[in-house]
Amino acid sequence: MPDIIQLLPDSVANQIAAGEVVQRPASVVKELMENAIDAGADQVRIVLKNVGKALIQTIDNGKGMSPTDARMAFERHATSKISCAQDLFNIHTLGFRGEALPSIASVADVEVKTRRAEDELGTFLSISGSELKQQEAINTPKGTNICVKNLFFNIPARRKFLKSDTTELRNIINEFLRVALTNPSISFTLENNGNEIYNLPVSGMRQRIVNVFGKNINSKLLSIECKTSLVSIQGFICSPEHSKKTYGEQYFFVNNRFMKHNFFHKAVMEAYSGLIGAETIPSYFLYFTVDPASIDVNIHPTKTEIKFQNETDFFQILMAGVKEALGKFNITPPLDFDTEGAIDYTPQAPVSSTTPYVPKVNYKSGYNPFNYKSGISIEESDFEKKSAGNTPAFSKDKVPANWESLFEGLQHKEEAQQTTIAGLSEPEKKSSVPSSFVQMKGRYIVTPVHSGLMFIDQKRAHERILFEQYTHTLASQKTAGQKNLFPETLELCADDFELIRDIKEDLEYLGFELGEFGKNCYAIYATPSDLSCSHARDILMQLIEHYKNTEGDIKQKMKEHVALSLAKAAAIPYNTTLSREEMSDMLDNLFACQHHNYTPDGKTIIYILNSEDVNTWFK
């Protein structure tokens, strides 16, 4: 029987390795930027075409490579970062595995132009699918210029399952920022299809954060500095009011390397306990400096997962450092004493001798104004007792004969209210919409029904009402917007700016009118007529935050997602006091919806507490 185990060719082995290293265009951008930084560059420029699917070009002014090094760089496990296994415990460079360039060259067409400062001529290489096509000497500036073209040309399945251009660009921006935020002493430029997305000059750490995320974040940054024998933590955290409902501004760096660490994120959340809501996430930019021997970065090819020897100690140090930074700026959780079960006792003022006399008022409990015989007689009147002998102050009038007309119209109103709940479930259909409403804790509308008590979450009910209104609007016709007398500006980071550009057409159908107003900034010229112009900026920011949580391609179900995002942003917040008429109108509109029991994202709106359950409680 012949042998069946064989050695794979290098081209096939490189394509297998590329599955872990090169997952999308953002992976290529990350690896090339890290190589440029390891080469000592202080200027790095990234040029994209078709969000990296057609071209990813990295231009740096680093030390460059010799002709031999340029060729060896595309061999598997060829690296200049380490030379022996002991070097793995003292890693100061971003790359060291020697897998990035050969993996990229196995799934794309790669052209390299590089020259060292001491060489008169540089080197040009052309590699396609791990096969060297051309190598020659050329005249080129100092540094390295790498062009990656036709990514995944030989793996059509991988190219087919790439996301939309907007999603891929957002992933590229995320990788770009992870490198740029750790190196403020290096200037970075990012371009896509000729449009400059970022141009980050050399600056300090705080200014680099402001250049990336906009001027509004500057006033929210709180500096943190904590030095111990184990770790030195520096950076910035944001004040609680800057917290958001989505991830995106949470950065951990260890020895200038970005990392993901859920355990350390929990430490930050513990420090913010009592300052932010349960569904919000604080923003932070924290830089750890530790002994390389105490961490292990060689866990995954992406090198974003790092193991620490003393994670528990790091947890305590980090939490204490964040709390100290919050306390230094007088940001502490509010005192909220538990008053449940406490006795509400209000001391009474002593009764003085000069307290005026309060006369007593007598009344007849069985008095019926529609029964002439049950009226209060003159003899039973306390006023008449004290005014004996005087002319009576009033006389008894007879009940009008047509008093039944006072109740005309109420029966028709009750019948109209019955029709609004025709879509309820069987137990609910037996009940009728009552005429009394109570708002409980600024969150629920409580009203009695035939089967018990009905609880309605007012914010969720409003979300369902607005969602169906916006969905109908998007499906039928364009909504007229209300022009703003003084347009408000909306300054965004590049990621959010591109997202708004992608959904701008659908926003216009809802009544928004936006125009580009400088770099990464929009001017709000009009808002939907049923929204307050003063809240347009906040509503758009909430829409962006909710939109980021949408899984999958953001082009899918675009109109439904926009309607849901806007409904969540425009719904009345909790602790909003509603009048009886407003509560009645909300219930009428809710029961007129196609689906009134649940929100568009599946949360319960209505709950009925049955009378039988109450009777069971009291046995």
Side-chain angles (χ1 to χ4, degrees):
M1 184 176 179
D3 298 331
I4 60 174
I5 297 178
Q6 57 183 346
L7 186 65
L8 290 175
D10 289 342
S11 59
V12 178
N14 288 336
Q15 287 191 12
I16 295 174
E20 294 183 339
V21 179
V22 185
Q23 301 174 356
R24 58 198 334 153
S27 305
V28 178
V29 173
K30 170 185 177 294
E31 298 293 345
L32 296 183
M33 290 183 67
E34 290 181 348
N35 285 342
I37 293 173
D38 289 339
D42 58 14
Q43 295 179 4
V44 179
R45 181 186 176 194
I46 307 296
V47 179
L48 306 175
K49 287 186 178 179
N50 193 17
V51 296
K53 299 175 184 178
L55 171 68
I56 301 174
Q57 184 177 13
T58 304
I59 307 171
D60 67 71
N61 62 346
K63 57 187 177 183
M65 294 180 285
S66 66
T68 303
D69 288 344
R71 181 64 188 91
M72 284 293 296
F74 289 90
E75 296 293 334
R76 289 195 69 195
H77 309 305
T79 179
S80 62
K81 317 299 173 56
I82 61 174
S83 58
C84 60
Q86 190 62 30
D87 293 340
L88 291 173
F89 301 99
N90 191 29
I91 295 176
H92 292 87
T93 57
L94 297 176
F96 58 88
R97 298 171 65 100
E99 293 180 331
L101 290 180
S103 297
I104 294 172
S106 67
V107 294
D109 298 329
V110 179
E111 294 182 356
V112 180
K113 298 177 182 178
T114 181
R115 182 178 72 86
R116 296 182 298 181
E118 61 269 23
D119 295 335
E120 294 184 0
L121 293 177
T123 303
F124 171 79
L125 273 76
S126 177
I127 302 174
S128 178
S130 297
E131 182 181 352
L132 179 64
K133 298 293 186 180
Q134 184 181 0
Q135 179 174 357
E136 62 182 8
I138 61 169
N139 186 15
T140 184
K142 169 183 171 293
T144 303
N145 184 339
I146 299 181
C147 294
V148 179
K149 303 177 181 179
N150 303 324
L151 186 63
F152 301 132
F153 76 96
N154 53 356
I155 310 180
R158 180 72 61 83
R159 190 178 183 92
K160 178 181 178 181
F161 286 102
L162 290 177
K163 303 297 183 181
S164 67
D165 289 353
T166 303
T167 302
E168 294 300 334
L169 182 59
R170 289 171 59 189
N171 289 319
I172 291 174
I173 290 175
N174 288 337
E175 296 293 348
F176 176 85
L177 296 182
R178 291 173 180 178
V179 178
L181 287 173
T182 58
N183 299 275
S185 59
I186 302 176
S187 64
F188 293 93
T189 305
L190 177 63
E191 302 175 9
N192 179 45
N193 295 334
N195 298 322
E196 186 178 83
I197 301 175
Y198 280 109
N199 187 354
L200 306 176
V202 177
S203 63
M205 186 61 66
R206 187 187 190 102
Q207 187 60 43
R208 174 57 57 89
I209 296 174
V210 172
N211 291 339
V212 169
F213 296 101
K215 296 181 295 183
N216 294 331
I217 199 175
N218 189 29
S219 59
K220 308 293 192 306
L221 293 177
L222 311 177
S223 61
I224 177 175
E225 186 172 357
C226 181
K227 293 184 179 180
T228 66
S229 58
L230 288 178
V231 60
S232 174
I233 304 177
Q234 294 180 328
F236 299 92
I237 59 175
C238 287
S239 54
E241 62 268 17
H242 188 71
S243 301
K244 300 182 179 181
K245 294 185 178 181
T246 57
Y247 290 90
E249 295 179 4
Q250 294 75 37
Y251 292 91
F252 284 122
F253 303 98
V254 177
N255 296 344
N256 288 337
R257 182 193 305 275
F258 173 80
M259 74 165 179
K260 298 178 181 178
H261 209 293
N262 294 331
F263 191 55
F264 290 168
H265 174 74
K266 183 179 179 181
V268 178
M269 295 298 292
E270 288 287 340
Y272 275 87
S273 178
L275 297 173
I276 60 176
E279 298 179 353
T280 56
I281 308 165
S283 301
Y284 52 80
F285 310 88
L286 300 174
Y287 300 80
F288 293 69
T289 303
V290 301
D291 183 5
S294 64
I295 61 176
D296 184 7
V297 300
N298 190 26
I299 296 177
H300 192 271
T302 59
K303 300 183 284 293
T304 58
E305 299 177 10
I306 300 177
K307 291 293 184 181
F308 291 77
Q309 287 184 350
N310 304 304
E311 285 190 347
T312 304
D313 297 336
F314 280 63
F315 181 95
Q316 298 296 335
I317 295 172
L318 176 59
M319 183 172 64
V322 175
K323 283 187 176 181
E324 180 184 4
L326 292 172
K328 187 185 302 181
F329 292 90
N330 296 326
I331 299 176
T332 56
L335 296 176
D336 186 15
F337 297 104
D338 187 6
T339 58
E340 184 178 358
I343 300 175
D344 186 10
Y345 171 73
T346 303
Q348 300 291 334
V351 179
S352 63
S353 59
T354 59
T355 302
Y357 171 74
V358 179
K360 295 182 179 180
V361 178
N362 297 328
Y363 62 93
K364 187 175 181 180
S365 59
Y367 172 69
N368 185 355
F370 300 107
N371 186 0
Y372 179 77
K373 295 180 180 181
S374 65
I376 299 177
S377 63
I378 298 178
E379 292 76 12
E380 294 174 339
S381 171
D382 181 68
F383 174 79
E384 289 299 326
K385 287 181 181 180
K386 296 182 181 180
S387 305
N390 297 335
T391 304
F394 63 90
S395 61
K396 294 184 291 185
D397 296 330
K398 294 184 178 181
V399 178
N402 59 343
W403 63 269
E404 294 90 347
S405 61
L406 297 174
F407 297 92
E408 291 182 357
L410 296 181
Q411 183 177 2
H412 300 290
K413 182 176 181 180
E414 182 178 356
E415 293 175 356
Q417 291 176 339
Q418 290 285 353
T419 61
T420 61
I421 57 173
L424 287 174
S425 59
E426 288 301 327
E428 298 165 356
K429 285 181 180 179
K430 299 177 182 180
S431 63
S432 60
V433 176
S435 58
S436 59
F437 304 92
V438 177
Q439 190 176 18
M440 188 176 74
K441 293 187 175 181
R443 184 184 184 99
Y444 306 105
I445 299 174
V446 185
T447 180
V449 292
H450 180 73
S451 58
L453 279 179
M454 179 186 294
F455 293 80
I456 300 99
D457 189 302
Q458 65 182 39
K459 185 175 187 298
R460 294 180 181 178
H462 200 204
E463 287 178 10
R464 165 55 69 179
I465 296 169
L466 293 177
F467 173 77
E468 296 204 3
Q469 289 178 358
Y470 292 140
T471 303
H472 176 73
T473 299
L474 287 174
S476 58
Q477 60 183 356
K478 183 176 179 179
T479 303
Q482 180 179 355
K483 292 288 186 178
N484 297 337
L485 182 60
F486 300 103
E488 189 176 6
T489 58
L490 180 64
E491 185 176 355
L492 304 167
C493 62
D495 188 6
D496 296 343
F497 183 83
E498 294 295 330
L499 189 148
I500 289 291
R501 176 182 289 175
D502 194 66
I503 62 175
K504 184 178 177 182
E505 182 178 350
D506 292 276
L507 291 177
E508 291 177 351
Y509 266 87
L510 290 172
F512 283 102
E513 183 180 341
L514 304 176
E516 296 188 15
F517 192 74
K519 185 175 179 61
N520 296 339
C521 185
Y522 284 105
I524 307 174
Y525 296 113
T527 56
S529 56
D530 55 345
L531 296 180
S532 174
C533 299
S534 59
H535 298 96
R537 184 181 181 279
D538 295 335
I539 289 175
L540 284 173
M541 292 300 298
Q542 294 178 28
L543 187 148
I544 293 173
E545 290 301 312
H546 176 71
Y547 217 74
K548 289 180 179 178
N549 279 335
T550 304
E551 297 182 358
D553 188 354
I554 64 174
K555 276 293 187 182
Q556 297 176 357
K557 300 181 180 180
M558 172 68 73
K559 295 181 179 180
E560 180 180 345
H561 290 163
V562 171
L564 176 59
S565 300
L566 193 58
K568 282 184 169 291
I572 58 172
Y574 292 123
N575 298 322
T576 300
T577 303
L578 301 177
S579 65
R580 183 189 177 281
E581 291 75 12
E582 290 173 335
M583 290 187 283
S584 178
D585 291 341
M586 181 176 291
L587 262 66
D588 290 343
N589 293 329
L590 175 64
F591 292 127
C593 293
Q594 184 177 3
H595 305 285
H596 50 258
N597 286 325
Y598 299 95
T599 62
D601 49 355
K603 296 179 181 178
T604 303
I605 299 176
I606 299 174
Y607 178 80
I608 293 183
L609 179 63
N610 293 322
S611 302
E612 291 78 4
D613 296 336
V614 178
N615 294 334
T616 303
W617 294 348
F618 293 99
K619 299 181 180 179

